[in-house]
Amino acid sequence: MVTTKQDSTFDPKHITPGFSLLPFTNQVGGHTPFFRLSKRAICKPAERKEQEFYVYLESHHPELLPFLSQYLGLLNATYHQDKQAMLPEVIFDNNEQLLKDWHALSSQQSDRGTPSTTPDILNDDFQQWSPNADECNLRFTEFRKRALYEVLNPTALRERIKLQNTCLKQNAQLQQNDTNIEKLTIQLKVPLNDNMLDGPLFNETVGMIGDPDDTITSNLNVGRNDNSTSHAFNHDETSSARWQLRRTPSNPWGQQMYEKDRLKLQQLTEACIVKQFIILEDLTDNIQYPCVLDLKMGNRHYGVFSSAVKKRSQIAKCVNSTSYKLGVRICGMQVYKSQEQKFVFHDKYMGHSLDEEGFKQNLADYLDGLLDHIPVLLKKLDRLARIIKSLKGFRFYASSLLLIYDGGAPKSSRNCRIDVRMIDFAKCVSPDDDSSQFTYPLGNPTGPDEGYLLGISSLIHKFTEIYKEHQIKNAL
């Protein structure tokens, strides 16, 4: 099909009816498996309250956007019981809003003609200063455009299909060899290389998702240099679509969550199960050695609608961990040890067992000697604390704070970048929630979340101690 002015938007269904989500390999915590949507976005099983909270913060408190994992919308994914891998499939016919957003983006770009250079706003570290609402919203809008493009442009779809088919073929080989197929299904770590994208963008035969033996031929009749084609962006598709080559193995916690969910789904009798996911920013994008620390914040982790049993359980976990005194505990950690050239993983059970000194030692271990991150981190934590203090009537119960840096970055303060992001909002409360329905209401409902602020204060104190001790040691 040749594109015309009347039909200028590319339809992803011309390449494939849908695609599978791949397990996310950098998941350090949580109770459900995350999946990778593209090089810039991941999917997490949806909870209504969390989705609504993301939307509420976006519209009412854009000053918090630099500290969030950007929310990009909802997605319907289908599990097929007859497929060994049990990977959720995004079927385009079941995701009309995704296609509407794509076509709207393409149409906007078509109306504007040749696009200007994409702004560098996505690379700006907004957490180190106080951007105004317009700047925050501009970054959010630009990120949403880029993420959508990297899911649905032709090169990205073909790249995904090749990757999936390679994984499925390897699964089939393992099955023939009577090997544990689930092990590979969980990992799906097939490195991409330049040869995987050789050949024309169109008029090529590509493998169908879900069956490596079936093929389809795209009915698009547009060459690589055809100027009549209108996509959302006209910059180099290959570089923007390619999934990041990461120097990381699969985190065992993410593998465990995937396997647990797969076994649970296999107990159901339905041939197809549809689950809803929220689409979020992949905070490990463009990081070769992702070092991730998941910190459970606050000293109350049961929600306003929790059962009495859940309340007692959460209070016990809080009292018997650093959450009670410090307002924070470690829920998961992934660190690249540069001298040993390997990753080290810790799960939430390790975090439960730590006393105050052990907590501090693990914060130092997380940085692996890259203590030049600390001044930047302290500045960001201080700014986040000032924002949280201004949010009267909010509660961030059971939410986490993620710290992320690249373990392969040069050991120079000029190159240090450590990210601070709030995640997990399923039990959070906003001032507009109907408190008359709460089973366990807030204390001081007109004030800020003091438990969360305690957690940030403890982090600032511990990281400051670590940095000062390091300076004293170097001075001796």
Side-chain angles (χ1 to χ4, degrees):
M1 181 183 71
V2 179
T3 56
T4 65
K5 291 182 179 180
Q6 288 74 30
D7 185 17
S8 61
T9 57
F10 162 72
D11 188 348
K13 290 192 289 186
H14 290 152
I15 289 182
T16 176
F19 55 85
S20 294
L21 299 175
L22 302 179
F24 179 58
T25 59
N26 290 318
Q27 182 179 349
V28 302
H31 301 283
T32 55
F34 300 170
F35 293 90
R36 204 171 178 202
L37 177 64
S38 71
K39 74 176 289 290
R40 202 179 293 265
I42 61 172
C43 294
K44 173 186 179 182
E47 293 194 43
R48 181 186 60 83
K49 178 59 181 175
E50 181 168 32
Q51 184 265 338
E52 291 176 350
F53 199 76
Y54 270 112
V55 174
Y56 185 89
L57 290 178
E58 176 191 341
S59 59
H60 291 77
H61 293 281
E63 72 275 12
L64 202 56
L65 286 177
F67 290 96
L68 303 181
S69 173
Q70 305 297 339
Y71 167 76
L72 301 169
L74 290 168
L75 201 65
N76 295 314
T78 304
Y79 290 84
H80 298 280
Q81 291 280 25
D82 59 344
K83 293 186 177 179
Q84 186 74 29
M86 285 291 286
L87 293 173
E89 293 187 39
V90 178
I91 300 172
F92 289 136
D93 286 342
N94 296 339
N95 288 277
E96 293 183 3
Q97 188 60 50
L98 183 69
L99 292 182
K100 285 181 180 178
D101 291 344
W102 166 256
H103 290 311
L105 179 61
S106 298
S107 297
Q108 290 171 10
Q109 193 59 66
S110 178
D111 292 341
R112 286 195 295 266
T114 303
S116 58
T117 303
T118 303
D120 293 330
I121 196 168
L122 295 185
N123 298 321
D124 291 341
D125 191 354
F126 274 7
Q127 295 179 345
Q128 291 211 60
W129 64 83
S130 299
N132 59 41
D134 289 340
E135 289 174 321
C136 291
N137 284 317
L138 178 60
R139 183 199 183 277
F140 177 72
T141 301
E142 181 61 31
F143 175 82
R144 178 174 284 171
K145 290 179 180 178
R146 192 86 64 88
L148 187 61
Y149 171 75
E150 289 169 354
V151 175
L152 297 178
N153 81 77
T155 302
L157 286 175
R158 284 178 167 79
E159 181 178 295
R160 173 187 290 276
I161 291 170
K162 290 179 181 180
L163 174 60
Q164 291 170 184
N165 286 341
T166 302
C167 294
L168 290 167
K169 288 176 182 178
Q170 290 188 351
N171 274 348
Q173 291 172 359
L174 283 180
Q175 194 172 26
Q176 290 173 0
N177 295 333
D178 195 25
T179 308
N180 184 2
I181 190 171
E182 284 78 29
K183 185 175 181 181
L184 179 67
T185 303
I186 292 170
Q187 294 182 356
L188 289 172
K189 297 183 301 178
V190 181
L192 300 177
N193 55 60
D194 292 339
N195 295 329
M196 291 183 69
L197 291 178
D198 285 347
L201 284 176
F202 306 99
N203 291 331
E204 65 184 11
T205 302
V206 292
M208 278 288 286
I209 295 171
D211 188 348
D213 295 323
D214 292 343
T215 58
I216 57 172
T217 302
S218 170
N219 60 356
L220 293 175
N221 187 24
V222 184
R224 185 186 296 266
N225 298 318
D226 189 343
N227 293 328
S228 65
T229 307
S230 175
H231 302 306
F233 299 92
N234 288 334
H235 58 280
D236 179 26
E237 287 184 337
T238 302
S239 62
S240 61
R242 177 157 300 165
W243 292 33
Q244 177 69 27
L245 305 180
R246 293 168 178 165
R247 309 289 197 266
T248 174
S250 290
N251 190 299
W253 185 261
Q255 296 182 43
Q256 183 179 338
M257 292 302 101
Y258 169 79
E259 180 65 11
K260 178 182 176 181
D261 191 58
R262 188 187 68 83
L263 293 175
K264 186 186 299 183
L265 288 168
Q266 285 184 333
Q267 304 304 313
L268 303 177
T269 58
E270 295 90 340
C272 296
I273 301 105
V274 178
K275 294 179 69 174
Q276 197 168 61
F277 290 80
I278 58 175
I279 308 172
L280 298 172
E281 177 181 5
D282 178 3
L283 300 175
T284 62
D285 176 46
N286 287 329
I287 298 179
Q288 287 191 323
Y289 297 88
C291 297
V292 185
L293 180 62
D294 185 337
L295 298 162
K296 181 76 73 176
M297 300 297 290
N299 49 18
R300 170 177 165 174
H301 299 150
Y302 61 92
V304 294
F305 299 111
S306 293
S307 66
V309 172
K310 189 69 172 179
K311 177 183 177 182
R312 287 195 297 270
S313 171
Q314 292 297 334
I315 290 176
K317 290 179 182 179
C318 181
V319 170
N320 294 313
S321 70
T322 56
S323 293
Y324 181 73
K325 182 178 179 181
L326 301 180
V328 57
R329 73 169 181 258
I330 293 175
C331 271
M333 189 162 72
Q334 172 178 302
V335 185
Y336 180 71
K337 297 294 183 179
S338 57
Q339 289 188 343
E340 293 127 23
Q341 296 186 336
K342 69 176 184 179
F343 275 86
V344 173
F345 306 100
H346 295 299
D347 60 26
K348 66 178 183 179
Y349 301 107
M350 182 278 291
H352 282 301
S353 68
L354 297 175
D355 58 14
E356 185 173 347
E357 186 58 32
F359 176 80
K360 175 183 170 182
Q361 183 58 52
N362 273 268
L363 293 183
D365 290 345
Y366 166 67
L367 293 175
D368 190 41
L370 298 174
L371 300 187
D372 283 335
H373 280 307
I374 291 180
V376 177
L377 178 59
L378 293 177
K379 184 176 181 179
K380 294 184 176 187
L381 289 173
D382 180 71
R383 180 170 170 244
L384 177 60
R386 284 187 275 113
I387 295 174
I388 297 296
K389 194 172 183 179
S390 72
L391 300 178
K392 312 296 184 181
F394 279 87
R395 294 296 183 273
F396 299 93
Y397 297 144
S399 66
S400 286
L401 194 67
L402 283 187
L403 308 184
I404 311 107
Y405 71 90
D406 190 344
K411 294 186 178 182
S412 168
S413 59
R414 290 174 299 177
N415 296 302
C416 280
R417 176 158 181 171
I418 186 165
D419 217 358
V420 179
R421 301 294 184 107
M422 301 173 69
I423 61 167
D424 297 338
F425 299 131
K427 296 181 182 178
C428 292
V429 177
S430 78
D432 291 343
D433 289 338
D434 184 3
S435 61
S436 66
Q437 303 298 316
F438 293 169
T439 307
Y440 299 105
L442 316 182
N444 186 21
T446 60
D449 190 331
E450 296 293 349
Y452 201 102
L453 290 170
L454 172 63
I456 296 179
S457 176
S458 296
L459 288 172
I460 290 174
H461 180 66
K462 296 303 179 186
F463 278 117
T464 299
E465 282 187 350
I466 293 168
Y467 193 66
K468 287 182 177 179
E469 289 168 4
H470 170 70
Q471 288 180 314
I472 293 172
K473 182 179 179 180
N474 286 345
L476 296 177

